[in-house]
Amino acid sequence: MMRYMLLPLILPLTHVLASEPLAYPRVYWENSVKVWLVVAIAIYILVAIPSIYFAIKYRYRPGQHEEGEHIEGNTALEIVWTVIPTIIVLFLGTYSFANFVKQRNAPEGAMELKVTAFMWGWEVEYPNGKKIFAFFNPDGFTAPEDQKVYIPAGKPVKVYLTSRDVIHSFFVHPARITEDAVPGRITHTWFQINKPGEYFVFCREYCGTWHSHMFAILKVVPEGEFNRWLGVTTQ
Ligand SMILES: [Cu+2]
């Protein structure tokens, strides 16, 4: 029991001690969630336990304190319960905003991809003009090799998004980031996946018949392999 009660306190610690996380920018979002969770649980305990204690201690008993007592107030107490919450709110606000800024803005030097959503698939254009089309698959969540979107491991990728028809949403599952793809508009997002493997992008805005099978497979490979695939020779 005690172990589970301590979990919200231990989780952020394990996060600090953990090695390179699987993907960005989920890390920033998760940092904010963990801090809010710890603060919320601490405040809940601070309020709930005394509330139960006082509710029992000062419960109504016939003949006792029936007249009631007049209390003027307590200036010191009021200052304390105004100042402390103000500090907590300012901390949560600035900390979360700092995380949001990192979550929203791609790091310098990110590879830029142009992604155009359509009913029902994704067109991905690489900086050298190479294009990959990832089409929906009614038979399952698999794709032929030439429809896989190659991504270099451990490198930030900035995505410029638009749509050819209706509103879609580009959800990079391992990075826990989503952004609308809107016709006539260019939106942006970014992600970085550190561990090679295959991951999913899903459409996260209902867009018609095959919305539920509108996906792309991200094939994350080491940078050298990615460059060979892209046709870029760096050496
Ligand atoms: Cu869609």
Side-chain angles (χ1 to χ4, degrees), residues 80-208:
V80 168
W81 76 43
T82 306
V83 170
I84 292 176
T86 305
I87 292 169
I88 293 173
V89 166
L90 287 175
F91 163 71
L92 286 177
T94 49
Y95 179 73
S96 304
F97 188 72
N99 273 319
F100 169 74
V101 168
K102 284 190 273 186
Q103 183 190 36
R104 183 73 192 126
N105 299 304
E108 286 288 315
M111 179 178 81
E112 294 183 352
L113 287 185
K114 287 187 213 159
V115 175
T116 307
F118 55 88
M119 291 156 105
W120 292 272
W122 307 93
E123 177 195 314
V124 180
E125 188 182 334
Y126 288 84
N128 67 354
K130 181 166 180 160
K131 279 186 186 177
I132 291 293
F133 290 85
F135 296 103
F136 81 97
N137 180 357
D139 301 322
F141 292 99
T142 56
E145 202 59 25
D146 64 355
Q147 286 189 27
K148 288 180 182 170
V149 178
Y150 276 60
I151 296 292
K155 294 278 160 192
V157 179
K158 182 168 184 176
V159 179
Y160 290 97
L161 276 167
T162 193
S163 170
R164 205 169 285 160
D165 35 51
V166 298
I167 299 176
H168 302 268
S169 185
F170 186 77
F171 173 44
V172 187
H173 180 255
R176 303 287 190 272
I177 191 90
T178 188
E179 183 64 42
D180 278 1
V182 185
R185 214 185 271 183
I186 293 168
T187 53
H188 66 90
T189 187
W190 78 279
F191 66 90
Q192 174 179 326
I193 301 169
N194 296 321
K195 203 169 157 237
E198 292 196 355
Y199 303 90
F200 282 109
V201 161
F202 291 110
C203 179
R204 217 185 195 184
E205 185 80 56
Y206 181 65
C207 58

